[in-house]
Amino acid sequence: MAGYKAPLRDMRFVLYELMSGDELARLPGYEEFTRELIDPVLEEAARLCEEVLHPLNRSGDEEGCTLENGVVRTPKGFPEAYRQFREGGWTSIACDPAYGGQGLPAMVNVLVEEMICSANLSFGMYPGLSHGAYVALHDHGTEALKAAYLPKLVDGTWAGTMCLTEPHCGTDLGLLRTKAVPQGDGSYKLTGTKIFISAGDHDLTENIVHLVLARLPDAPKGVKGISLFLVPKYLPHADGTPGPSNGVSTGAIEHKMGIKASATCVLNFDDATGWLVGEPHKGMRAMFSMMNTERVAVGVQGLGLAEASYQGAVAYARERLQGRALTGPKYPDRPADPIIVHPDVRRMLMVQRSTVESCRALAMWTARHLDLQNRHPDPEVRRESEDFVALMTPIVKALLTDLGYEATNHGMQVLGGHGYIREHGMEQYVRDCRIAQIYEGTNGIQALDLVGRKLGLAGGRPLRRFFHPVAAYIDEKMEDEALAEFVQPLAKAFVRLQQATAEVARAGLSNPEEAGAAASDYLRLFGLTALSYLWARMAEIALAKQDDDPDGFYAAKVATARFHAERVLPQTGALFSAVMAGGKSIMALDEAAF
């Protein structure tokens, strides 16, 4: 398997030069987070990922998790790596200092998460799910529950999960049957079965805190009758140490296509004791705090795997000798040229490169607004950022995982037959990345969320948080000849997006199936336009700094921006045509004819 090297140079470019990360220290509570503090954090995260987590990636995939006599074991080396991870404070970096967290900005946390996903996605699932559980409990738990459980989740001695779906449910959580019966002392007894529970059981922590969706006896039907409960694997003693088993058992480990070192479990709850989180029958509201956090994190998974695959593909393309360049030998002293001289190999590498760099920028743009939403003193700025995050969350989740999966496939293709076998690890990136398009709501569900909820939310207010700055940038830069090759294609894509938005809104009002038929193409059109805007801004920065460019970083940035404008952005034309065609041909075939 090829090695992994954290892309710190590009991460710093996005953080400081594109997203003005130096301004983080102006926000209340972030005063200490200057470049002098942030850079060492990123460097230490890179070391951990390169030297500790990545060496376990292939072995963890090959060994997988095991279930013996009701006990789940993670692969060799995982418990030791997790102990090092926890003792280094990595479980706490994005958590509230009131509960022992370090309170780092979301922009920094996203970069650390990307490195972990590149190095070893299966390992990253365990602390990743714990952080989602932390968010839901932090936002909706009682003070007593937060005091008892958050410090343990923050310091990593306990882990967390989210238990949503059941064998008969799929995405339709309104069908769930797990029941919660009040006990008269403030607790509840939960009974039911949950499936597809990532990190559902393992040997990395002393206890596991399950957040479980269930129904109270008087619950209304459908999603309006769902409540959220905290159910620990072991009931804590008064001193906070794990006590007796709590009626939670692992029925099976799912045999999966990828992320095999992450234990995806079937969990059985048999009169397990739990406590209500949030209000009765309002569990989806509380769970969405966790789910939205996880949806952005899943988008970062697609980005991280695309980066790892790109690095492996580039290393192989430089070394593999095969054929001669079409214009004649580039290396006449060798028996063949390295395959990186061939246009089609370069095409695939450039697709990967442009994907990784622009998706990193989009994830960081969203994270910047998460920081503003949480910390800015002006309530209007906080509201604007909240709107932006709401709009971009389904796009980040779906676009970054779709493009990430495509990028990992390109990486495998670069290696040809050697990409299809395990030796180089490229096929593992493909397998691991495939789940990211499915969990936390399939990408089709994300597209429906975008067109069905976000477009019309608050009279279209979230849309303006994207449309207005992009329109202003185009107006400002349209006459700049140096940027013409980037801004003019952006302007055309932006017009298509505006027209498609109006058509989806119009058609969806009269027939919801029209919006549903357009949803996935519309999300991709929106996402590529957003990436094009970011590429134009990155190209502008890089062009201004090319005269002082000893390592060629800015020249490469401009070249990659040009590739995106010429070879990727034209997809928006076809996507626009598909959106405007409507849903008639999709819905025309009788069900019996399939």
Side-chain angles (χ1 to χ4, degrees), residues 453-501:
R453 293 183 65 248
K454 302 303 172 56
L455 295 193
L457 188 65
R461 192 180 70 207
L463 275 177
R464 295 194 289 273
R465 310 309 187 201
F466 175 84
F467 277 38
H468 286 182
V470 175
Y473 182 83
I474 292 171
D475 289 344
E476 180 185 352
K477 305 296 181 181
M478 182 60 81
E479 303 303 321
D480 189 329
E481 293 184 5
L483 293 176
E485 60 182 317
F486 309 111
V487 175
Q488 291 178 8
L490 165 63
K492 293 178 182 178
F494 188 57
V495 168
R496 295 185 186 110
L497 176 61
Q498 291 173 304
Q499 293 175 345
T501 301

Side-chain angles (χ1 to χ4, degrees), residues 37 46 50 96 122 149 159 163 227 299 332 382 434 465 490 512 521 547 556:
L37 187 149
E50 294 164 5
D96 188 343
S122 287
Y149 288 89
C163 301
S227 301
R382 292 199 302 271
R434 186 62 184 87
R465 310 309 187 201
L490 165 63
D521 291 319
D547 292 339

